[in-house]
Coordinates of all heavy atoms in Angstrom, one line a residue:
M35 N -13.9 35.1 31.3 CA -12.8 34.1 31.3 C -11.7 34.7 30.4 O -12.0 35.1 29.3 CB -13.4 32.8 30.7 CG -12.5 31.7 31.1 SD -13.0 30.2 30.3 CE -14.6 29.9 31.0
G36 N -10.5 34.6 30.8 CA -9.4 35.1 30.0 C -9.1 34.2 28.8 O -9.6 33.1 28.7
D37 N -8.3 34.8 27.9 CA -8.0 34.1 26.6 C -7.3 32.8 26.9 O -7.5 31.8 26.2 CB -7.3 35.0 25.7 CG -7.4 34.6 24.3 OD1 -8.5 34.2 23.9 OD2 -6.4 34.6 23.6
S38 N -6.4 32.8 27.9 CA -5.5 31.6 28.1 C -6.3 30.4 28.7 O -6.1 29.3 28.3 CB -4.4 32.0 29.0 OG -4.8 32.3 30.3
S39 N -7.4 30.7 29.5 CA -8.1 29.6 30.0 C -9.1 29.1 29.0 O -9.4 27.9 29.0 CB -8.9 30.0 31.3 OG -9.7 31.2 31.1
T40 N -9.5 29.9 28.0 CA -10.3 29.4 26.9 C -9.4 28.4 26.1 O -9.9 27.3 25.7 CB -10.8 30.6 26.0 OG1 -11.5 31.5 26.8 CG2 -11.7 30.1 24.9
K41 N -8.2 28.8 25.8 CA -7.2 28.0 25.0 C -7.0 26.7 25.8 O -7.0 25.6 25.1 CB -5.9 28.7 24.9 CG -5.9 29.8 23.8 CD -5.3 29.3 22.5 CE -6.0 29.8 21.3 NZ -6.1 31.3 21.3
E42 N -6.9 26.7 27.1 CA -6.7 25.5 27.9 C -7.9 24.6 27.8 O -7.7 23.4 27.6 CB -6.4 26.0 29.4 CG -6.3 24.8 30.3 CD -5.1 23.8 30.1 OE1 -4.3 24.1 29.1 OE2 -5.0 22.8 30.8
L43 N -9.1 25.2 27.9 CA -10.3 24.4 27.7 C -10.4 23.7 26.4 O -10.7 22.5 26.3 CB -11.6 25.3 27.9 CG -12.2 25.4 29.3 CD1 -13.4 26.3 29.2 CD2 -12.6 24.0 29.8
E44 N -10.0 24.5 25.3 CA -10.0 23.9 23.9 C -9.0 22.7 23.9 O -9.3 21.7 23.3 CB -9.5 25.0 22.9 CG -10.7 25.9 22.5 CD -10.2 27.1 21.7 OE1 -9.0 27.1 21.4 OE2 -11.0 27.9 21.4
R45 N -7.8 22.9 24.5 CA -6.8 21.9 24.5 C -7.3 20.6 25.2 O -7.2 19.5 24.7 CB -5.5 22.4 25.2 CG -4.3 21.4 25.1 CD -3.2 21.8 26.0 NE -3.5 21.6 27.4 CZ -3.7 20.4 28.0 NH1 -3.6 19.3 27.3 NH2 -4.0 20.4 29.3
I46 N -8.0 20.8 26.3 CA -8.6 19.6 27.1 C -9.6 18.9 26.2 O -9.7 17.7 26.2 CB -9.1 20.1 28.4 CG1 -8.0 20.5 29.3 CG2 -10.0 19.0 29.1 CD1 -8.4 21.3 30.6
I47 N -10.5 19.7 25.5 CA -11.5 19.1 24.7 C -10.9 18.3 23.6 O -11.4 17.2 23.3 CB -12.5 20.2 24.2 CG1 -13.4 20.7 25.4 CG2 -13.4 19.7 23.2 CD1 -14.1 22.0 25.2
V48 N -9.9 18.9 22.9 CA -9.3 18.2 21.8 C -8.6 16.9 22.3 O -8.8 15.8 21.7 CB -8.3 19.1 21.1 CG1 -7.4 18.3 20.1 CG2 -9.0 20.2 20.3
E49 N -7.9 17.0 23.4 CA -7.2 15.8 24.0 C -8.2 14.7 24.3 O -8.0 13.6 24.0 CB -6.5 16.3 25.2 CG -5.6 15.2 25.8 CD -4.9 15.8 27.1 OE1 -3.9 16.5 26.9 OE2 -5.4 15.6 28.2
D50 N -9.4 15.1 24.9 CA -10.4 14.2 25.3 C -11.0 13.5 24.0 O -11.2 12.3 24.0 CB -11.5 15.0 26.0 CG -12.3 14.1 27.0 OD1 -11.6 13.5 27.8 OD2 -13.5 14.1 26.9
D51 N -11.2 14.3 23.0 CA -11.7 13.8 21.7 C -10.8 12.7 21.1 O -11.2 11.7 20.6 CB -11.8 14.9 20.7 CG -13.2 15.2 20.4 OD1 -14.1 15.0 21.3 OD2 -13.5 15.7 19.3
E52 N -9.5 13.0 21.2 CA -8.5 12.1 20.6 C -8.5 10.8 21.4 O -8.3 9.7 20.8 CB -7.1 12.8 20.6 CG -6.9 13.8 19.5 CD -5.7 14.7 19.7 OE1 -5.0 14.6 20.7 OE2 -5.5 15.6 18.8
Q53 N -8.7 10.9 22.7 CA -8.6 9.7 23.6 C -9.9 8.8 23.3 O -9.8 7.6 23.5 CB -8.6 10.1 25.0 CG -7.2 10.5 25.4 CD -7.1 11.2 26.8 OE1 -8.1 11.4 27.4 NE2 -5.9 11.6 27.2
T54 N -11.0 9.4 22.9 CA -12.2 8.7 22.7 C -12.5 8.4 21.3 O -13.6 8.0 20.9 CB -13.4 9.4 23.3 OG1 -13.5 10.7 22.7 CG2 -13.3 9.6 24.8
E55 N -11.5 8.6 20.4 CA -11.7 8.4 19.0 C -12.1 6.9 18.7 O -11.6 6.0 19.3 CB -10.4 8.7 18.2 CG -10.7 9.2 16.8 CD -9.5 10.0 16.2 OE1 -8.9 10.7 17.0 OE2 -9.3 9.9 15.0
E56 N -13.1 6.8 17.7 CA -13.6 5.4 17.4 C -12.5 4.8 16.4 O -11.9 5.5 15.6 CB -14.9 5.5 16.6 CG -15.9 6.5 17.3 CD -16.5 5.9 18.6 OE1 -16.4 4.7 18.8 OE2 -16.9 6.7 19.4
P57 N -12.4 3.4 16.5 CA -11.5 2.8 15.5 C -12.1 2.8 14.1 O -13.3 2.9 14.0 CB -11.5 1.3 16.1 CG -12.7 1.1 16.8 CD -13.1 2.5 17.4
P58 N -11.3 2.7 13.1 CA -11.8 2.7 11.7 C -12.7 1.4 11.6 O -12.3 0.3 12.1 CB -10.6 2.6 10.8 CG -9.4 2.4 11.7 CD -9.8 2.7 13.1
M59 N -13.8 1.5 10.9 CA -14.7 0.4 10.7 C -14.7 -0.1 9.3 O -14.4 0.6 8.3 CB -16.1 0.8 11.1 CG -16.3 1.3 12.5 SD -15.8 0.1 13.7 CE -17.3 -0.8 13.8
Y60 N -14.9 -1.4 9.1 CA -14.9 -2.1 7.8 C -16.2 -2.9 7.6 O -16.7 -3.5 8.5 CB -13.7 -3.1 7.7 CG -12.4 -2.3 7.7 CD1 -11.8 -1.8 8.9 CD2 -11.8 -2.0 6.5 CE1 -10.7 -1.1 8.8 CE2 -10.6 -1.3 6.4 CZ -10.1 -0.8 7.6 OH -8.9 -0.1 7.6
R61 N -16.7 -2.7 6.4 CA -17.9 -3.4 5.9 C -17.5 -4.8 5.3 O -16.6 -4.8 4.5 CB -18.6 -2.6 4.9 CG -20.0 -3.0 4.4 CD -20.6 -2.0 3.5 NE -20.8 -0.7 4.1 CZ -20.2 0.4 3.7 NH1 -19.4 0.4 2.7 NH2 -20.5 1.5 4.4
V62 N -18.1 -5.9 5.8 CA -17.9 -7.2 5.2 C -19.0 -7.4 4.2 O -20.2 -7.3 4.6 CB -17.9 -8.3 6.2 CG1 -17.8 -9.7 5.5 CG2 -16.7 -8.1 7.1
V63 N -18.7 -7.5 2.9 CA -19.6 -7.6 1.8 C -19.6 -9.0 1.2 O -18.6 -9.5 0.8 CB -19.3 -6.5 0.7 CG1 -20.2 -6.7 -0.5 CG2 -19.3 -5.1 1.3
L64 N -20.8 -9.6 1.2 CA -20.9 -10.9 0.5 C -21.2 -10.7 -1.0 O -21.9 -9.8 -1.4 CB -22.2 -11.7 1.1 CG -22.0 -12.5 2.4 CD1 -23.4 -13.1 2.7 CD2 -20.9 -13.5 2.3
L65 N -20.5 -11.6 -1.8 CA -20.7 -11.5 -3.2 C -21.6 -12.7 -3.7 O -21.5 -13.8 -3.2 CB -19.3 -11.6 -3.9 CG -18.3 -10.5 -3.4 CD1 -17.0 -10.7 -4.1 CD2 -18.8 -9.1 -3.6
N66 N -22.3 -12.4 -4.7 CA -23.2 -13.4 -5.3 C -22.4 -14.3 -6.2 O -21.3 -14.0 -6.7 CB -24.3 -12.7 -6.2 CG -25.4 -13.7 -6.6 OD1 -25.7 -14.7 -5.8 ND2 -25.9 -13.6 -7.8
D67 N -22.9 -15.6 -6.3 CA -22.3 -16.5 -7.4 C -23.5 -17.4 -7.7 O -24.6 -17.3 -7.1 CB -21.1 -17.3 -6.8 CG -21.5 -18.2 -5.7 OD1 -22.2 -19.3 -6.0 OD2 -21.2 -18.0 -4.5
D68 N -23.3 -18.3 -8.7 CA -24.4 -19.1 -9.2 C -24.4 -20.5 -8.6 O -25.3 -21.3 -8.9 CB -24.2 -19.3 -10.8 CG -24.4 -18.0 -11.5 OD1 -25.1 -17.1 -11.0 OD2 -23.9 -17.9 -12.7
Y69 N -23.5 -20.8 -7.7 CA -23.4 -22.2 -7.2 C -23.7 -22.4 -5.7 O -24.2 -23.4 -5.3 CB -22.0 -22.7 -7.5 CG -21.6 -22.6 -9.0 CD1 -20.8 -21.6 -9.5 CD2 -22.2 -23.5 -9.9 CE1 -20.5 -21.5 -10.8 CE2 -21.9 -23.4 -11.3 CZ -21.1 -22.4 -11.7 OH -20.9 -22.3 -13.1
T70 N -23.3 -21.4 -4.9 CA -23.6 -21.5 -3.5 C -25.1 -21.5 -3.3 O -25.8 -20.7 -3.8 CB -22.9 -20.4 -2.7 OG1 -21.5 -20.3 -3.1 CG2 -23.0 -20.6 -1.2
T71 N -25.6 -22.5 -2.4 CA -27.0 -22.5 -2.2 C -27.5 -21.4 -1.3 O -26.7 -20.9 -0.5 CB -27.4 -23.9 -1.5 OG1 -26.8 -23.9 -0.3 CG2 -27.0 -25.1 -2.4
M72 N -28.7 -21.0 -1.5 CA -29.3 -20.0 -0.7 C -29.3 -20.4 0.8 O -29.0 -19.6 1.7 CB -30.8 -19.7 -1.1 CG -30.8 -19.1 -2.5 SD -32.5 -18.6 -2.9 CE -32.2 -17.7 -4.4
E73 N -29.6 -21.7 1.1 CA -29.6 -22.2 2.5 C -28.2 -22.0 3.1 O -28.1 -21.6 4.3 CB -30.0 -23.7 2.5 CG -31.4 -23.9 2.1 CD -31.7 -23.8 0.6 OE1 -30.8 -23.8 -0.2 OE2 -32.9 -23.8 0.2
F74 N -27.2 -22.3 2.3 CA -25.8 -22.2 2.9 C -25.5 -20.7 3.3 O -24.9 -20.4 4.3 CB -24.8 -22.7 1.9 CG -23.4 -22.7 2.4 CD1 -23.0 -23.7 3.3 CD2 -22.5 -21.7 2.1 CE1 -21.7 -23.7 3.8 CE2 -21.2 -21.7 2.6 CZ -20.8 -22.7 3.5
V75 N -25.9 -19.8 2.4 CA -25.6 -18.4 2.7 C -26.4 -17.9 3.9 O -25.9 -17.2 4.8 CB -26.0 -17.5 1.4 CG1 -25.8 -16.0 1.7 CG2 -25.1 -17.9 0.2
V76 N -27.6 -18.4 4.0 CA -28.4 -18.0 5.2 C -27.8 -18.6 6.5 O -27.6 -17.8 7.5 CB -29.9 -18.5 5.1 CG1 -30.7 -18.4 6.4 CG2 -30.6 -17.8 4.0
M77 N -27.3 -19.8 6.4 CA -26.6 -20.4 7.6 C -25.3 -19.6 7.9 O -25.1 -19.3 9.1 CB -26.2 -21.9 7.2 CG -25.5 -22.6 8.3 SD -23.8 -22.3 8.4 CE -23.2 -23.1 6.9
I78 N -24.6 -19.2 6.9 CA -23.4 -18.3 7.2 C -23.8 -17.0 7.9 O -23.1 -16.6 8.9 CB -22.6 -18.0 5.9 CG1 -22.0 -19.3 5.3 CG2 -21.7 -16.9 6.0 CD1 -20.7 -19.7 6.0
L79 N -24.8 -16.4 7.4 CA -25.2 -15.1 8.0 C -25.8 -15.3 9.4 O -25.5 -14.4 10.3 CB -26.3 -14.5 7.1 CG -25.7 -13.9 5.8 CD1 -26.8 -13.6 4.8 CD2 -25.0 -12.6 6.1
E80 N -26.4 -16.4 9.7 CA -26.9 -16.7 11.0 C -25.7 -17.0 12.0 O -25.7 -16.5 13.1 CB -27.8 -17.9 11.0 CG -29.2 -17.6 10.4 CD -30.0 -18.9 10.2 OE1 -29.4 -20.0 10.2 OE2 -31.2 -18.7 10.0
T81 N -24.8 -17.8 11.5 CA -23.7 -18.4 12.5 C -22.5 -17.4 12.6 O -22.0 -17.2 13.7 CB -23.3 -19.8 12.0 OG1 -22.8 -19.7 10.7 CG2 -24.4 -20.8 12.1
V82 N -22.1 -16.9 11.5 CA -20.9 -16.0 11.5 C -21.2 -14.5 11.8 O -20.5 -13.8 12.5 CB -20.1 -16.1 10.2 CG1 -18.8 -15.3 10.2 CG2 -19.8 -17.5 9.8
F83 N -22.4 -14.1 11.4 CA -22.8 -12.7 11.5 C -24.0 -12.5 12.5 O -24.5 -11.4 12.6 CB -23.1 -12.1 10.1 CG -21.9 -12.2 9.2 CD1 -21.7 -13.2 8.3 CD2 -20.9 -11.2 9.3 CE1 -20.6 -13.3 7.5 CE2 -19.8 -11.2 8.5 CZ -19.6 -12.2 7.6
N84 N -24.4 -13.6 13.2 CA -25.3 -13.5 14.3 C -26.7 -12.9 13.9 O -27.3 -12.1 14.6 CB -24.8 -12.7 15.5 CG -23.4 -13.3 15.9 OD1 -23.3 -14.5 16.1 ND2 -22.5 -12.4 16.1
K85 N -27.1 -13.1 12.6 CA -28.4 -12.6 12.1 C -29.5 -13.6 12.5 O -29.3 -14.8 12.5 CB -28.4 -12.4 10.6 CG -27.2 -11.5 10.1 CD -27.8 -10.3 9.4 CE -26.7 -9.4 8.9 NZ -26.7 -8.1 9.7
T86 N -30.7 -13.1 12.6 CA -31.9 -14.0 12.7 C -32.1 -14.6 11.4 O -31.6 -14.1 10.3 CB -33.1 -13.2 13.2 OG1 -33.5 -12.2 12.1 CG2 -32.9 -12.4 14.5
T87 N -32.9 -15.6 11.3 CA -33.2 -16.3 10.0 C -33.9 -15.3 9.1 O -33.6 -15.3 7.9 CB -34.2 -17.5 10.3 OG1 -33.6 -18.3 11.2 CG2 -34.5 -18.2 9.0
E88 N -34.7 -14.4 9.6 CA -35.4 -13.4 8.8 C -34.4 -12.4 8.2 O -34.5 -12.1 7.0 CB -36.5 -12.7 9.6 CG -37.7 -13.5 10.0 CD -37.4 -14.6 11.0 OE1 -36.5 -14.4 11.8 OE2 -38.1 -15.6 11.0
E89 N -33.5 -11.9 9.1 CA -32.5 -10.9 8.6 C -31.6 -11.6 7.6 O -31.3 -11.0 6.5 CB -31.6 -10.4 9.8 CG -32.3 -9.5 10.8 CD -31.5 -9.3 12.0 OE1 -30.7 -10.2 12.4 OE2 -31.8 -8.3 12.7
A90 N -31.2 -12.8 7.9 CA -30.2 -13.5 7.0 C -30.9 -13.8 5.6 O -30.2 -13.6 4.6 CB -29.9 -14.9 7.7
T91 N -32.2 -14.1 5.6 CA -32.9 -14.4 4.4 C -32.9 -13.1 3.5 O -32.7 -13.1 2.3 CB -34.3 -14.9 4.7 OG1 -34.1 -16.1 5.4 CG2 -35.0 -15.2 3.4
Q92 N -33.2 -12.0 4.2 CA -33.3 -10.7 3.5 C -32.0 -10.3 2.9 O -31.9 -9.9 1.7 CB -33.7 -9.5 4.5 CG -35.2 -9.5 4.7 CD -35.6 -8.2 5.4 OE1 -34.8 -7.3 5.7 NE2 -36.9 -8.1 5.8
V93 N -30.9 -10.4 3.7 CA -29.5 -10.1 3.1 C -29.2 -11.0 2.0 O -28.7 -10.6 0.9 CB -28.5 -10.2 4.3 CG1 -27.0 -10.0 3.7 CG2 -28.7 -9.1 5.4
M94 N -29.4 -12.3 2.2 CA -29.1 -13.3 1.1 C -29.8 -12.9 -0.2 O -29.2 -13.0 -1.3 CB -29.4 -14.7 1.6 CG -29.2 -15.8 0.6 SD -30.4 -16.0 -0.7 CE -31.8 -16.5 0.3
L95 N -31.1 -12.6 -0.1 CA -31.9 -12.3 -1.3 C -31.4 -11.0 -1.9 O -31.4 -10.9 -3.2 CB -33.4 -12.2 -0.9 CG -34.1 -13.5 -0.7 CD1 -35.6 -13.3 -0.2 CD2 -34.1 -14.4 -2.0
S96 N -31.0 -10.1 -1.1 CA -30.5 -8.8 -1.6 C -29.2 -9.1 -2.4 O -29.0 -8.5 -3.5 CB -30.3 -7.8 -0.5 OG -29.4 -6.8 -0.8
V97 N -28.3 -9.9 -1.8 CA -27.1 -10.3 -2.5 C -27.4 -11.0 -3.8 O -26.8 -10.7 -4.9 CB -26.2 -11.2 -1.7 CG1 -24.9 -11.6 -2.4 CG2 -25.8 -10.4 -0.4
H98 N -28.3 -12.0 -3.8 CA -28.7 -12.8 -4.9 C -29.3 -11.8 -6.0 O -29.0 -12.0 -7.2 CB -29.8 -13.8 -4.5 CG -30.4 -14.6 -5.6 ND1 -29.7 -15.6 -6.2 CD2 -31.6 -14.5 -6.2 CE1 -30.5 -16.1 -7.2 NE2 -31.6 -15.5 -7.2
N99 N -30.0 -10.8 -5.7 CA -30.7 -10.0 -6.7 C -29.8 -8.8 -7.1 O -30.0 -8.4 -8.3 CB -32.0 -9.4 -6.1 CG -33.1 -10.5 -5.9 OD1 -33.2 -11.3 -6.8 ND2 -33.8 -10.5 -4.8
S100 N -28.9 -8.3 -6.3 CA -28.1 -7.2 -6.7 C -26.7 -7.4 -6.9 O -25.9 -6.5 -7.3 CB -28.3 -6.0 -5.7 OG -27.5 -6.3 -4.5
G101 N -26.2 -8.6 -6.5 CA -24.8 -9.0 -6.7 C -23.9 -8.9 -5.5 O -22.9 -9.6 -5.4
A102 N -24.3 -8.0 -4.5 CA -23.5 -7.9 -3.3 C -24.3 -7.3 -2.2 O -25.4 -6.7 -2.5 CB -22.3 -7.0 -3.6
G103 N -23.9 -7.5 -1.0 CA -24.7 -7.0 0.1 C -23.9 -7.1 1.4 O -23.0 -7.9 1.6
T104 N -24.2 -6.2 2.3 CA -23.5 -6.1 3.6 C -23.9 -7.1 4.6 O -25.1 -7.2 5.0 CB -23.7 -4.7 4.2 OG1 -23.3 -3.7 3.3 CG2 -23.0 -4.5 5.5
A105 N -22.9 -7.9 5.1 CA -23.1 -8.9 6.1 C -23.0 -8.2 7.5 O -23.7 -8.7 8.5 CB -22.2 -10.0 6.0
G106 N -22.2 -7.2 7.6 CA -22.0 -6.5 8.9 C -20.8 -5.5 8.8 O -20.1 -5.5 7.8
V107 N -20.7 -4.7 9.8 CA -19.7 -3.7 9.9 C -18.9 -3.9 11.2 O -19.5 -4.0 12.3 CB -20.3 -2.3 9.9 CG1 -19.2 -1.2 10.0 CG2 -21.0 -2.1 8.6
F108 N -17.6 -4.0 11.1 CA -16.7 -4.4 12.3 C -15.4 -3.6 12.3 O -15.0 -3.0 11.3 CB -16.4 -5.9 12.2 CG -17.6 -6.8 11.9 CD1 -18.0 -7.2 10.6 CD2 -18.5 -7.1 13.0 CE1 -19.1 -7.9 10.4 CE2 -19.6 -7.9 12.8 CZ -19.9 -8.3 11.5
T109 N -14.7 -3.7 13.4 CA -13.3 -3.3 13.4 C -12.5 -4.1 12.4 O -12.9 -5.2 12.1 CB -12.7 -3.3 14.8 OG1 -12.8 -4.7 15.2 CG2 -13.4 -2.4 15.8
K110 N -11.3 -3.6 12.1 CA -10.5 -4.3 11.1 C -10.2 -5.8 11.4 O -10.4 -6.6 10.5 CB -9.2 -3.5 10.9 CG -8.4 -4.0 9.7 CD -7.1 -3.1 9.5 CE -6.5 -3.4 8.2 NZ -5.1 -2.8 8.1
E111 N -9.8 -6.0 12.6 CA -9.3 -7.4 12.9 C -10.5 -8.3 12.9 O -10.4 -9.5 12.4 CB -8.7 -7.4 14.3 CG -7.7 -8.5 14.5 CD -7.1 -8.5 15.9 OE1 -6.5 -7.4 16.2 OE2 -7.2 -9.5 16.6
I112 N -11.7 -7.9 13.4 CA -12.9 -8.7 13.4 C -13.4 -9.0 12.0 O -13.7 -10.1 11.7 CB -14.0 -8.1 14.3 CG1 -13.5 -8.2 15.8 CG2 -15.3 -8.9 14.2 CD1 -14.4 -7.5 16.8
A113 N -13.4 -7.9 11.2 CA -13.8 -8.1 9.8 C -12.9 -9.1 9.1 O -13.3 -10.0 8.4 CB -13.7 -6.7 9.1
E114 N -11.5 -9.0 9.3 CA -10.6 -9.9 8.7 C -10.8 -11.3 9.1 O -10.8 -12.3 8.3 CB -9.1 -9.5 9.1 CG -8.6 -8.3 8.3 CD -7.3 -7.8 8.9 OE1 -6.9 -8.2 10.0 OE2 -6.7 -6.9 8.3
T115 N -11.1 -11.5 10.4 CA -11.4 -12.9 10.9 C -12.7 -13.4 10.3 O -12.7 -14.6 9.9 CB -11.5 -12.8 12.4 OG1 -10.3 -12.2 13.0 CG2 -11.7 -14.2 13.0
K116 N -13.7 -12.6 10.2 CA -15.0 -13.1 9.6 C -14.8 -13.5 8.2 O -15.4 -14.5 7.7 CB -16.1 -12.1 9.8 CG -16.3 -11.8 11.3 CD -17.8 -11.6 11.6 CE -18.0 -11.2 13.1 NZ -18.8 -12.1 13.8
V117 N -14.1 -12.7 7.4 CA -13.8 -13.0 6.0 C -13.1 -14.4 5.9 O -13.5 -15.2 5.1 CB -13.0 -11.9 5.3 CG1 -12.5 -12.4 3.9 CG2 -13.8 -10.6 5.2
E118 N -12.1 -14.6 6.7 CA -11.4 -15.9 6.7 C -12.3 -17.0 7.1 O -12.2 -18.1 6.4 CB -10.2 -15.8 7.7 CG -9.0 -15.2 7.2 CD -7.9 -15.1 8.3 OE1 -7.9 -15.9 9.2 OE2 -7.0 -14.2 8.2
I119 N -13.1 -16.8 8.1 CA -14.0 -17.9 8.6 C -15.0 -18.3 7.5 O -15.2 -19.5 7.2 CB -14.7 -17.5 9.9 CG1 -13.8 -17.5 11.0 CG2 -15.9 -18.5 10.2 CD1 -14.3 -16.9 12.3
V120 N -15.6 -17.3 6.8 CA -16.5 -17.5 5.7 C -15.8 -18.3 4.6 O -16.4 -19.4 4.1 CB -17.1 -16.2 5.1 CG1 -17.9 -16.5 3.8 CG2 -18.0 -15.5 6.1
H121 N -14.6 -17.9 4.2 CA -13.9 -18.6 3.1 C -13.6 -20.1 3.5 O -13.7 -21.0 2.7 CB -12.7 -17.8 2.7 CG -13.0 -16.6 2.0 ND1 -12.2 -15.5 1.8 CD2 -14.2 -16.2 1.4 CE1 -12.8 -14.5 1.1 NE2 -14.0 -14.9 0.9
Q122 N -13.2 -20.2 4.8 CA -12.8 -21.5 5.3 C -14.0 -22.5 5.3 O -13.9 -23.6 4.8 CB -12.3 -21.4 6.7 CG -11.7 -22.7 7.3 CD -11.3 -22.5 8.7 OE1 -10.8 -21.5 9.1 NE2 -11.5 -23.5 9.5
I123 N -15.2 -22.0 5.8 CA -16.4 -22.9 5.8 C -16.9 -23.2 4.4 O -17.3 -24.3 4.1 CB -17.5 -22.2 6.7 CG1 -17.1 -22.0 8.1 CG2 -18.8 -23.2 6.7 CD1 -18.1 -21.2 8.9
A124 N -16.8 -22.1 3.5 CA -17.2 -22.3 2.1 C -16.4 -23.4 1.4 O -16.9 -24.3 0.8 CB -17.2 -21.0 1.4
R125 N -15.0 -23.2 1.6 CA -14.1 -24.2 1.0 C -14.4 -25.6 1.5 O -14.5 -26.5 0.7 CB -12.7 -23.8 1.4 CG -11.8 -23.5 0.2 CD -10.3 -23.3 0.6 NE -9.9 -23.1 1.9 CZ -9.7 -21.9 2.5 NH1 -9.9 -20.8 1.7 NH2 -9.4 -21.7 3.7
Q126 N -14.6 -25.7 2.8 CA -14.8 -27.1 3.4 C -16.1 -27.7 2.8 O -16.2 -28.9 2.7 CB -15.1 -27.0 4.9 CG -13.8 -26.9 5.7 CD -14.1 -26.4 7.2 OE1 -15.2 -26.2 7.6 NE2 -13.0 -26.3 8.0
N127 N -17.1 -26.9 2.4 CA -18.3 -27.3 1.8 C -18.3 -27.3 0.3 O -19.4 -27.5 -0.3 CB -19.5 -26.6 2.4 CG -19.7 -26.9 3.9 OD1 -20.4 -27.9 4.2 ND2 -19.1 -26.2 4.8
E128 N -17.2 -27.0 -0.3 CA -16.9 -26.9 -1.7 C -17.9 -25.9 -2.4 O -18.4 -26.2 -3.5 CB -17.0 -28.3 -2.3 CG -16.0 -29.2 -1.7 CD -15.9 -30.6 -2.4 OE1 -17.0 -31.2 -2.6 OE2 -14.8 -31.0 -2.7
Y129 N -18.1 -24.8 -1.8 CA -18.9 -23.7 -2.4 C -17.9 -22.5 -2.7 O -16.9 -22.3 -2.0 CB -19.9 -23.1 -1.4 CG -21.1 -24.1 -1.3 CD1 -21.5 -24.5 0.0 CD2 -21.8 -24.5 -2.4 CE1 -22.6 -25.4 0.1 CE2 -22.9 -25.3 -2.3 CZ -23.3 -25.8 -1.0 OH -24.4 -26.6 -0.9
P130 N -18.1 -21.8 -3.8 CA -17.2 -20.7 -4.2 C -17.5 -19.4 -3.5 O -17.0 -18.4 -3.9 CB -17.5 -20.6 -5.7 CG -18.9 -21.0 -5.9 CD -19.2 -22.1 -4.8
L131 N -18.4 -19.4 -2.5 CA -18.8 -18.2 -1.8 C -17.6 -17.3 -1.5 O -16.7 -17.8 -0.8 CB -19.6 -18.5 -0.6 CG -20.1 -17.3 0.2 CD1 -21.2 -16.5 -0.6 CD2 -20.8 -17.8 1.5
K132 N -17.7 -16.0 -1.8 CA -16.6 -15.1 -1.5 C -17.2 -13.9 -0.8 O -18.4 -13.5 -1.0 CB -16.0 -14.6 -2.8 CG -15.2 -15.6 -3.5 CD -13.9 -15.9 -2.8 CE -13.1 -17.1 -3.5 NZ -12.7 -18.2 -2.6
C133 N -16.4 -13.3 0.1 CA -16.8 -12.0 0.7 C -15.5 -11.1 0.7 O -14.4 -11.6 0.7 CB -17.4 -12.1 2.0 SG -16.5 -13.0 3.3
I134 N -15.7 -9.9 0.8 CA -14.6 -8.9 0.8 C -14.9 -7.9 1.9 O -16.0 -7.8 2.5 CB -14.5 -8.1 -0.5 CG1 -15.9 -7.4 -0.9 CG2 -14.1 -9.0 -1.7 CD1 -15.8 -6.4 -2.0
M135 N -13.8 -7.2 2.3 CA -14.1 -6.1 3.3 C -13.6 -4.8 2.7 O -12.7 -4.7 1.8 CB -13.3 -6.4 4.6 CG -11.9 -6.6 4.5 SD -11.2 -7.2 6.1 CE -10.9 -5.6 6.9
E136 N -14.3 -3.7 3.1 CA -14.0 -2.4 2.6 C -14.2 -1.3 3.7 O -15.0 -1.6 4.6 CB -14.9 -2.1 1.3 CG -16.4 -2.1 1.7 CD -17.3 -1.9 0.5 OE1 -16.9 -2.3 -0.6 OE2 -18.4 -1.3 0.7
P137 N -13.5 -0.2 3.6 CA -13.7 0.8 4.6 C -15.2 1.2 4.7 O -15.8 1.4 3.6 CB -12.8 1.9 4.2 CG -11.8 1.3 3.3 CD -12.5 0.1 2.7
A138 N -15.8 1.3 5.9 CA -17.2 1.6 6.0 C -17.4 3.1 5.8 O -16.5 3.9 6.1 CB -17.7 1.2 7.3
Ligands
TYC306 N1 -27.2 -17.0 -6.3 C1 -27.2 -18.1 -5.4 C2 -28.2 -19.1 -6.0 O1 -29.1 -18.8 -6.8 C3 -27.5 -17.8 -4.0 C4 -26.5 -16.9 -3.4 C5 -26.9 -15.8 -2.6 C6 -25.1 -17.1 -3.5 C7 -25.9 -15.0 -2.0 C8 -24.1 -16.3 -2.9 O2 -23.6 -14.5 -1.5 C9 -24.5 -15.2 -2.2 N2 -28.2 -20.3 -5.5

């Protein structure tokens, strides 16, 4: 194969890679506090982050014991929406529960 067709193959491969590039992902991290109930955090993890009760309980306990923990990893817009929804439901229920997002 000639040098120019190798270059052409490389160009096609690079172009293909660029077209299939994954979007940047963001981790939504729940923060511990002393006032939000464990039950409420489990409910949030089940309803907003689609976790089973067992998974939700594990994440909640990990946040409770270590200060923070991952609720999930999402594209930017979905992560932003989930953070807003958590804060909105927490506010409505007068809990100080906070979560943040960070590049995954
Ligand atoms: N620390 C809280 C308690 O003892 C429970 C809790 C867990 C709160 C996780 C927030 O993100 C959190 N009631």
